[in-house]
Amino acid sequence: MSKAVLEFKDVSFQYQETDKSIDLLDSLHFRVFDGEFISIIGASGSGKSTLFRLITGLEQPVSGSIHINGEQRPNRLGSVGYMPQQDLLMPWRTIYENAVLPLEIKGVSKQDAHQQVVKGLKEFGLSGYEQNYPSDLSGGMKQRVSFLRAVLSGSNILLLDEPFSALDAMTKLSMQEWLLAQWEKRGQTILFITHDVNEALFLSDRIFILTERPVKQLKEAVVPMNRPRTLSGLHAPEVTKMKEQLIEQLRERISL
């Protein structure tokens, strides 16, 4: 079995709402292994984004520990690559200047940073757009730049928070296929938040389902699709059955 690159050990978390504390995670334990593609689904407010905030270090657990690449890291800022729902590209910076940002923050020399960015832009089909601004790009191209920034963080763990939700249907499908190709090429571990069950099934090795509050354990589904994948695989009987089961679990949570 591959090594665990991310582990929550009995992690509890709560947030303040007016004059009371709301428990969101209660002694949660799970592991993610090297090279896995994990999707996380759940109703709004179920704790999906909180998991990401804890992993990135933007929030700290009340109790328990979070281990990244086998190490417990109280300060996790910069330890993982992060791609938000909105591309968050700086409109006053060129595509090159946006892409180089994580390397600037890490203090990489200008020469090394230039080589990495130029190589990345070429691999991501963005050569020739270096001096363009985000307003010149399509939604899909902006998300490629955003993903490149996450990759250039240098981490083997990438967190993607509904990155394709704002795209039109055809662009979304194209980006899903593109993302799978990049993941298979690079071998990084990806955690992917989505509300789209089809998207989760098409992309993932495993799907974590948040169905309770506070979250004491993650329900898990292993996707019954071989790789490489095509969209036609979503119509296989065993995949259709799993889709129905996942939707039913989400419907039960929403009706509570």
Side-chain angles (χ1 to χ4, degrees):
M1 180 178 289
S2 300
K3 64 178 181 180
V5 295
L6 172 67
E7 186 170 9
F8 273 42
K9 292 186 176 181
D10 300 320
V11 171
S12 296
F13 178 79
Q14 57 186 208
Y15 66 92
Q16 292 297 127
E17 186 176 276
T18 59
D19 60 345
K20 61 180 179 179
S21 297
I22 305 297
D23 292 326
L24 197 54
L25 307 181
D26 182 5
S27 300
L28 178 63
H29 189 105
F30 70 87
R31 292 188 293 175
V32 174
F33 297 98
D34 187 33
E36 278 195 294
F37 198 123
I38 302 289
S39 283
I40 303 171
I41 62 175
S44 296
S46 59
K48 301 185 299 298
S49 294
T50 297
L51 287 179
F52 273 19
R53 291 179 66 82
L54 286 164
I55 294 167
T56 58
L58 293 173
E59 300 281 4
Q60 295 295 336
V62 173
S63 61
S65 58
I66 298 172
H67 298 248
I68 295 177
N69 293 316
E71 298 180 10
Q72 182 181 352
R73 300 186 184 182
N75 180 11
R76 296 177 298 284
L77 293 173
S79 297
V80 299
Y82 176 62
M83 181 179 173
Q85 182 173 352
Q86 302 298 325
D87 58 68
L88 298 185
L89 300 179
M90 299 178 181
W92 60 88
R93 296 185 66 141
T94 65
I95 299 309
Y96 177 91
E97 291 168 341
N98 269 286
V100 80
L101 185 60
L103 300 177
E104 291 178 349
I105 293 173
K106 290 170 61 178
V108 176
S109 70
K110 287 188 176 181
Q111 181 177 355
D112 288 346
H114 178 76
Q115 291 176 349
Q116 291 186 51
V117 171
V118 169
K119 179 182 179 182
L121 290 171
K122 182 177 180 180
E123 289 180 354
F124 284 21
L126 294 165
S127 291
Y129 293 92
E130 294 88 343
Q131 300 309 312
N132 287 71
Y133 288 89
S135 59
D136 301 323
L137 271 57
S138 67
M141 293 177 75
K142 290 178 184 177
Q143 291 302 76
R144 291 190 186 196
V145 179
S146 184
F147 185 67
L148 175 57
R149 285 200 308 198
V151 168
L152 290 174
S153 70
S155 175
N156 62 323
I157 303 171
L158 304 179
L159 309 183
L160 281 59
D161 190 351
E162 297 190 75
F164 307 145
S165 61
L167 302 177
D168 64 81
M170 291 306 299
T171 302
K172 184 176 183 178
L173 289 175
S174 176
M175 287 300 297
Q176 289 169 358
E177 293 173 330
W178 177 84
L179 176 61
L180 275 185
Q182 292 297 324
W183 169 72
E184 290 168 354
K185 176 181 178 181
R186 298 173 184 280
Q188 289 165 303
T189 303
I190 291 181
L191 281 79
F192 187 99
I193 291 177
T194 180
H195 280 95
D196 186 334
V197 173
N198 274 336
E199 184 171 60
L201 288 166
F202 180 56
L203 295 175
S204 312
D205 296 309
R206 292 189 290 159
I207 299 173
F208 292 161
I209 310 103
L210 279 64
T211 60
E212 60 181 353
R213 187 170 174 181
V215 180
K216 297 180 180 180
Q217 64 179 5
L218 299 176
K219 293 187 177 180
E220 177 185 318
V222 178
V223 179
M225 292 175 66
N226 296 324
R227 297 188 187 276
R229 293 182 179 173
T230 61
L231 289 170
S232 61
L234 292 171
H235 302 296
E238 61 272 22
V239 180
T240 300
K241 181 179 179 180
M242 179 170 286
K243 177 182 177 180
E244 293 172 350
Q245 292 171 340
L246 292 171
I247 290 174
E248 185 59 31
Q249 290 182 59
L250 294 175
R251 184 180 290 119
E252 288 176 358
R253 175 65 183 89
I254 292 171
S255 64
L256 294 177

